[in-house]
Amino acid sequence: MSNSLYVEPLGTAPHGTESLSRRVVRFIATNHFARHPRRIALVGLDGLFSAAAAYLALAARVDHVVLPAEYLRLYIGVLPLIIVCGVAPLLALRVYRIAVRHIGYHDILSIALATIVGAAVLVSALHLTGHDAYPHGPLFIGLFMRFLLVAGSRVGYRCAVEDINRRRAGRGATAERRVVIIGAGLCGAAIASEIRRQPDAGMRVIGYLDDAITKQGQIIDSVPVFGRVQDVRRVVRERDVHILIVAAPSASGDLVRRVTEHCTGLKVRCKIAPGLDSLRSANPLHTLRDVALEDLLRRQPVPVDTESVAAYVTGEHVLITGGGGSIGSELVRQIVSMKPARVLLLGHGENSIFEIEQELSREYGVEATALICDVRDGARLRRLFDLHRPTVVFHAAAHKHVPLMEANPEEAVTNNVLGTRNLAAASTEFGVKRFVMISTDKAVNPTSVMGASKRAAELAIQVECRRSETQFAIVRFGNVLGSRGSVVITMRKQIATGGPVTVTHPEVVRYFMTIPEAVQLVLQAGAMGGHGAVYMLDMGEPVRIMDLANDLIRLSGLTPGVDVPIKITGLRPGEKLYEELLTAEEGSSVTRHQRIYVAAPTEVSISETADQLDRLIAAAQDGHTAETLACLRGMVPTYSVHHDYAALAA
């Protein structure tokens, strides 16, 4: 037989009988207090505080430390009630579950509420038990004193522990890094509080900066507000600041840019804090990160009508081409949250498809189907469509690198045009409900083979939709931050090696948005459907690539032109100074979404355009470069060809 104590649950006593004392013992044994002896000690301490407060209040009434016999009898007679009414509300409001070393403002309010409840119960208990003679003045003074003792003991313990930890960490730590927080609101105060609680982090908050007029000159939890954001450079210099933390969750890209520009040339590190929700769900100091380029370009969050997106994705068999790429993989991540019946990942590169397949399984618990296929292989595509029967297709697979496609125009045409045509035809044949093609702003008045091939692919979609029940939509947008081969990735690598950072032209500008933002709008545009409709995403203001280079160098803690040089290399073949989202013949109109516009439909001859597509694809497959470019020029009259046809033909 085991020697361990067996405690029966309440209500299961043998023979239906159980003494009151046994019930009490069993309750204590099964209660969480048995597992936390410190809580038992706190209960005893609070009972002692209740008794001491009541005694001191009566002693103050008679102005003597030793109570006269009459008052002593009164005190002893009601002492059990005072202790019970002092401790019971704290138990009921779960005050003893509060971690004392992390006690905060809301916890103090809970103690105050318990005191008020205890006062009401005690007054009623005194009346019911015939102790009306007990003076009410000392009674309420005693309750107030008890609140001060109970709350003060916990706050004092927390302060003592923090001070001990700070001293202990200071003995073996390196010099403290001085921190100024941008934003003196709830988020900033939470960061400051956590830094104070974690002395091992080696940081000390010395002040805030905030643009709010009402906060100027204030002291928040012993930390002063030094001034406004525009004072950041002066404050960093005068106060020897090592770290700046932007703790304003709604901070615009302009604010973050101002902070980083003010700190140019200063040896200060800029970090950014997430929103309050993230701070509450994790260690706030672990959520801090270095300011990234995305923060400088931050815009208002994209409002997404999730119901309209879910309406065409939930329960469907969704195929994403280029599923391992930058846009394709983010499409997959956002689509799985809409609960599709099945996710089909199609790509030509096995490694990228394998990585996103593993990520879905590991982080989302989704078993996707990986399909390795070249979209140029029409027969293979038809077999896959016949086998897996997708009902929604997102076509993100494409060759996008402008200089590489300029040197390999046949590859651009066969992948971007033939591949799109094959997918569109298979979608029609096998009854796909909705098809969304990812296009580019480089398809408008193109100066590159890549841009012209994407415009030809758009025309292929518009031809196919004339004979199809499938709803086809085309979505155009500019550059996305962090995509493979993007200018941002290239510049970061150049900075890491000491430069120079190369810029093709001092006045070249591009549109940028983050990958998640672009994908949200793509999904929203897909919900609008249409037969060959061309949607353009609102890309915000264009960004000078020269400014981009300066920002990236500053974000690395370096000074542009001093620590890292910038070199002008000249426009590459196929590049232009700026990009457009509309052709001359396309007007635009707003849609029901404020960040999405739709182009007026372009009138095309189905038979003529189909013949042009046939000739273009045949020339590319035969390796006739000059003829391929000539066919592109014929299909896309706005295409500015920079190749020498005669030289190519020779």
Side-chain angles (χ1 to χ4, degrees):
M1 181 181 293
S2 172
N3 292 325
S4 61
L5 174 65
Y6 172 72
V7 180
E8 292 175 301
L10 282 173
T12 60
H15 311 296
T17 61
E18 185 177 30
S19 68
L20 178 61
S21 60
R22 183 173 178 179
R23 284 177 176 269
V24 171
V25 169
R26 186 162 50 81
F27 171 76
I28 294 174
T30 56
N31 195 268
H32 64 274
F33 277 92
R35 301 187 296 273
H36 299 280
R38 288 186 180 180
R39 295 179 183 175
I40 298 177
L42 276 177
V43 171
L45 184 63
D46 290 342
L48 182 61
F49 285 153
S50 298
Y55 185 92
L56 292 174
L58 281 174
R61 168 74 176 266
V62 299
D63 196 18
H64 203 283
V65 175
V66 179
L67 292 177
E70 178 186 355
Y71 279 92
L72 186 60
R73 282 194 301 272
L74 280 175
Y75 171 72
I76 294 174
V78 301
L79 184 58
L81 289 176
I82 289 174
I83 293 176
V84 170
C85 293
V87 172
L90 296 173
L91 280 167
L93 294 175
R94 299 186 176 185
V95 171
Y96 293 109
R97 295 194 177 200
I98 297 170
V100 179
R101 64 177 300 176
H102 298 295
I103 193 167
Y105 169 73
H106 292 288
D107 303 323
I108 301 298
L109 288 181
S110 296
I111 296 173
L113 178 60
T115 302
I116 294 172
V117 171
V121 173
L122 181 57
V123 169
S124 300
L126 290 175
H127 177 70
L128 293 174
T129 56
H131 290 91
D132 296 314
Y134 195 90
H136 285 187
L139 173 67
F140 289 108
I141 292 173
L143 289 170
F144 177 70
M145 292 174 66
R146 185 182 66 80
F147 166 74
L148 293 180
L149 289 170
V150 172
S153 64
R154 286 157 168 79
V155 172
Y157 177 81
R158 172 186 163 176
C159 292
V161 169
E162 289 180 356
D163 185 63
I164 291 170
N165 289 340
R166 189 179 299 110
R167 293 174 183 274
R168 185 181 300 162
R171 285 196 291 268
T174 56
E176 284 184 326
R177 293 168 293 171
R178 296 161 65 82
V179 177
V180 165
I181 297 177
I182 311 293
L186 292 176
C187 185
I191 291 291
S193 177
E194 194 63 30
I195 289 175
R196 188 179 297 111
R197 280 201 291 262
Q198 297 189 42
D200 290 342
M203 294 189 288
R204 181 165 65 91
V205 179
I206 64 169
Y208 294 98
L209 290 172
D210 198 296
D211 282 338
I213 296 176
T214 56
K215 293 181 180 176
Q216 302 307 306
Q218 282 190 349
I219 295 177
I220 301 172
D221 198 9
S222 303
V223 178
V225 177
F226 288 143
R228 307 181 70 174
V229 176
Q230 66 189 25
D231 302 318
V232 62
R233 189 174 185 85
R234 173 184 59 80
V235 170
V236 168
R237 281 178 163 173
E238 293 179 356
R239 309 224 177 229
D240 190 25
V241 178
H242 303 107
I243 298 175
L244 287 171
I245 299 176
V246 179
S250 60
S252 65
D254 289 339
L255 172 62
V256 183
R257 182 184 295 276
R258 281 165 50 204
V259 172
T260 57
E261 286 180 349
H262 283 316
C263 295
T264 300
L266 301 179
K267 300 301 181 182
V268 62
R269 192 169 183 181
C270 292
K271 289 184 171 292
I272 197 161
L276 278 173
D277 290 340
S278 298
L279 292 177
R280 294 189 185 105
S281 62
N283 184 329
L285 300 192
H286 292 169
T287 62
L288 296 179
R289 59 173 175 78
D290 291 333
V291 174
L293 185 62
E294 291 83 351
D295 300 311
L296 305 186
L297 301 178
R298 183 188 296 169
R299 294 190 288 273
Q300 291 297 319
V302 179
V304 177
D305 181 2
T306 54
E307 290 186 3
S308 64
V309 175
Y312 79 94
V313 170
T314 302
E316 301 293 341
H317 294 241
V318 182
L319 170 71
I320 302 97
T321 74
S326 304
I327 295 295
S329 60
E330 182 61 25
L331 269 169
V332 172
R333 294 183 191 99
Q334 295 194 25
I335 285 171
V336 295
S337 67
M338 305 290 179
K339 306 298 182 184
R342 196 176 181 192
V343 176
L344 305 167
L345 307 172
L346 190 147
H348 194 205
E350 61 177 4
N351 290 332
S352 59
I353 290 294
F354 175 77
E355 288 171 3
I356 187 63
E357 180 193 30
Q358 292 299 301
E359 180 185 331
L360 289 180
S361 176
R362 182 178 62 252
E363 299 184 15
Y364 298 89
V366 174
E367 297 300 324
T369 302
L371 308 173
I372 304 302
C373 174
D374 188 336
V375 292
R376 291 176 283 200
D377 188 343
R380 165 80 171 149
L381 274 179
R382 290 184 70 258
R383 288 195 297 272
L384 292 177
F385 270 65
D386 188 28
L387 178 63
H388 298 287
R389 297 288 174 164
T391 53
V392 177
V393 173
F394 289 91
H395 178 33
H399 284 330
K400 307 179 184 72
H401 199 284
V402 170
L404 284 181
M405 293 306 99
E406 208 66 19
N408 301 276
E410 297 89 352
E411 286 295 308
V413 168
T414 54
N415 191 76
N416 294 354
V417 183
L418 174 60
T420 300
R421 197 184 200 191
N422 287 339
L423 279 162
S427 297
T428 295
E429 181 179 353
F430 293 97
V432 169
K433 298 177 183 177
R434 201 170 300 238
F435 184 110
V436 181
M437 172 192 165
I438 310 297
S439 190
T440 171
D441 56 359
K442 293 177 176 60
V444 180
N445 299 325
T447 58
S448 66
V449 170
M450 192 281 279
S453 69
K454 292 295 283 184
R455 177 56 183 158
E458 291 181 359
L459 293 172
I461 292 293
Q462 292 180 332
V463 167
E464 183 64 36
C465 73
R466 302 294 178 86
R467 67 181 188 89
S468 176
E469 296 298 320
T470 300
Q471 289 196 49
F472 287 93
I474 299 163
V475 182
R476 287 182 194 153
F477 55 88
N479 300 275
V480 288
L481 295 171
S483 63
R484 295 175 183 174
S486 71
V487 63
V488 174
I489 300 297
T490 301
M491 286 181 175
R492 282 174 175 158
K493 291 179 180 177
Q494 292 171 336
I495 293 169
T497 58
V501 172
T502 56
V503 177
T504 58
H505 191 284
E507 298 303 321
V508 68
V509 296
R510 292 289 183 267
Y511 291 98
F512 286 96
M513 65 168 46
T514 65
I515 293 175
E517 181 183 14
V519 167
Q520 286 176 330
L521 290 173
V522 166
L523 291 171
Q524 188 71 74
M528 299 175 186
H531 289 283
V534 178
Y535 296 102
M536 292 81 63
L537 307 187
D538 177 6
M539 300 292 296
E541 295 298 320
V543 178
R544 290 176 70 241
I545 300 301
M546 181 65 78
D547 293 338
L548 197 69
N550 287 322
D551 288 337
L552 284 171
I553 293 171
R554 278 194 290 264
L555 290 177
S556 301
L558 303 170
T559 303
V562 177
D563 300 316
V564 179
I566 298 177
K567 180 181 178 181
I568 304 298
T569 60
L571 291 173
R572 297 174 297 180
E575 284 191 323
K576 50 184 179 178
L577 287 177
Y578 59 92
E579 305 290 358
E580 306 154 274
L581 289 172
L582 287 168
T583 63
E585 67 271 15
E586 291 175 331
S588 71
S589 58
V590 296
T591 65
R592 60 177 180 267
H593 193 283
Q594 61 186 13
R595 298 283 299 277
I596 301 175
Y597 302 88
V598 61
T602 303
E603 294 298 327
V604 296
S605 168
I606 298 177
S607 58
E608 181 182 348
T609 305
D611 290 341
Q612 289 176 322
L613 286 167
D614 290 338
R615 290 194 298 272
L616 171 64
I617 292 168
Q621 289 177 322
D622 292 339
H624 297 156
T625 304
E627 186 178 349
T628 299
L629 293 172
C631 289
L632 268 179
R633 181 71 174 82
M635 283 200 71
V636 188
T638 56
Y639 172 34
S640 303
V641 184
H642 298 290
H643 291 283
D644 185 339
Y645 284 152
L648 290 172

